[in-house]
Every structure is written in C-alpha cells, then in structure tokens.
Amino acid sequence: MKNYYIICLGLILLIQYCVASPIPDDEQIDEHNKLYIEVLKDLTEFALKTGDELREFVTKVTDEIEQNNDKYFPNHRQEKLVKNYEKVKNSESNPNIMDLYELTGDIIDFATADFAAKDEEAKKFVEKYKLVEFSEKIRGEVTKFYDHISEEFETYAHELDETQKKEQQKLFDWHKDFTGTNDIKDKFNEIVSFFELFKPTLVNE
C-alpha cells in the first residue's frame, strides 16, 4: 500500500511539472503557431487578390499595346506574373511558400516601379496606359497588407502571458524590425524573415 501511494504521489508531481513548466521555445515557434497560420493565410489571400488585379491590368494593357503597335512594355514580365499567379491559384488550399514569395515579389516590383518618363514618347506611353495610377493603387494594397500583419501581431501578442512573451522573444524582435522600416521592399524581406523563424528550411525547398 505504501508503494502505491508513493507511485501516485510521483504521478501527481509529474503532472504538476508538465503543467507548470514553460513550453520550450522550439515547440511554440513552428508551423502550428497561431500567428504563423494567420499570416500565411493573409499572405495567400493578398497575393491571390492583388495578383489577380495586377494580372488583369497587365494583360489588358498588353493586348492594347499589341493592337496599337506600341513599344516600351516588357512582355516577359506579364508572362512571369501570369505563371506565378497560376501556381498559387492552383495550390490555394496548400500554397508553396516559394510560389507566394515569387507572386508577391511581382506585385511589389510593380508597386515600386519607376515610371518616370525619360523622353516625351515614353511619357505619353505611361500616361496613355495609366501605369502610374495603377502602380499607386497596388502600392496602397501592399501598405494595407502590411498594416494588417501588424494588427495580427498585436492581437496575438495581447493573448500571451509574460512567460510566453519571454519564450517567444524572437517574434517580438521580428516585429520591431518589421515596423522599424517604411520601405516596401524591406518590409517584404521582413515577411520572409518571419516565415524563416518558423521553418528555416523553407528557402532550401
């Protein structure tokens, strides 16, 4: 009977230890993390929605350019954009992160493109197809996406207790870097860094 009580006491202490012990950092910073899941969902939705808008615009402009026998528009960009969009669209339920990076990169390239006319003919071309206006529209969508990511982080951080915050300090350091820059391309690099925190092998897949 004495041995029975000793065994029971040992089990109780073991259970208490498991409940009270902090979850190891490596177990919280993985693909099952709530913030990771939300940001991946947000990135997928952003890439598909904005990528589709850009794809339609570029396709429309390309068709008009061909009909008008205009020049200056690099057609290979349209082909690359369409290809990257279709990859993400076809795997929407389980997107490949590298495909998401490619499509988002296309979007950001257009949003940050320099359409300053170098000569009068180029200026007329840019104005005719409203490239600056649409670039600014896409830039606005990118900014909204970044703002939403920050909101997601703030919501997530608010749900953590002090112990969990210490265990997940890497995420807080990341968010500081993310909000510390206003450059659109730099922020995208921070998005990539975010996913690297959870799955460092992504870039090698």
Side-chain angles (χ1 to χ4, degrees), residues 2-189:
K2 182 178 180 181
N3 289 338
Y4 172 79
Y5 285 119
I6 292 174
I7 292 173
C8 288
L9 179 60
L11 288 173
I12 291 172
L13 291 174
L14 178 61
I15 292 172
Q16 288 178 334
Y17 173 80
C18 291
V19 172
S21 297
I23 299 174
D25 182 71
D26 289 343
E27 291 186 17
Q28 293 198 17
I29 307 297
D30 62 20
E31 308 101 296
H32 304 293
N33 178 278
K34 180 180 179 180
L35 183 61
Y36 173 91
I37 293 171
E38 288 300 320
V39 174
L40 179 59
K41 176 184 175 184
D42 292 339
L43 177 61
T44 303
E45 291 177 351
F46 164 76
L48 283 173
K49 180 179 180 295
T50 311
D52 191 33
E53 291 179 23
L54 181 56
R55 178 184 62 86
E56 287 185 356
F57 174 80
V58 171
T59 300
K60 176 185 176 183
V61 170
T62 301
D63 290 342
E64 291 180 6
I65 288 171
E66 291 176 351
Q67 292 174 11
N68 298 330
N69 293 318
D70 283 331
K71 53 183 179 179
Y72 293 114
F73 197 82
N75 191 49
H76 68 276
R77 281 194 173 187
Q78 180 216 5
E79 295 174 354
K80 178 174 176 289
L81 170 65
V82 171
K83 182 179 179 181
N84 289 334
Y85 172 80
E86 289 177 347
K87 280 184 179 180
V88 176
K89 182 64 177 177
N90 292 335
S91 61
E92 184 175 354
S93 60
N94 186 29
N96 180 290
I97 193 68
M98 299 307 295
D99 292 339
L100 283 172
Y101 289 164
E102 287 284 340
L103 179 55
T104 305
D106 291 338
I107 294 169
I108 291 174
D109 283 345
F110 187 85
T112 57
D114 182 9
F115 290 110
K118 298 179 180 179
D119 55 53
E120 192 61 31
E121 189 174 0
K123 182 179 180 180
K124 290 180 180 179
F125 175 86
V126 170
E127 292 177 350
K128 179 178 181 179
Y129 295 105
K130 301 185 183 302
L131 300 184
V132 173
E133 291 85 345
F134 198 78
S135 176
E136 291 176 349
K137 180 180 184 299
I138 294 298
R139 190 181 184 92
E141 294 299 323
V142 174
T143 300
K144 288 180 183 177
F145 166 64
Y146 288 154
D147 289 344
H148 184 63
I149 294 299
S150 282
E151 291 172 3
E152 290 280 12
F153 176 84
E154 294 294 346
T155 299
Y156 175 80
H158 183 71
E159 296 174 351
L160 301 179
D161 59 32
E162 291 305 314
T163 299
Q164 290 172 320
K165 288 179 180 179
K166 290 180 181 179
E167 293 167 353
Q168 300 186 46
Q169 184 60 43
K170 290 179 182 178
L171 287 179
F172 288 85
D173 292 341
W174 166 81
H175 188 248
K176 182 178 179 181
D177 292 337
F178 180 69
T179 57
T181 178
N182 292 320
D183 183 85
I184 283 184
K185 290 186 176 181
D186 287 346
K187 276 189 176 291
F188 175 58
N189 290 335

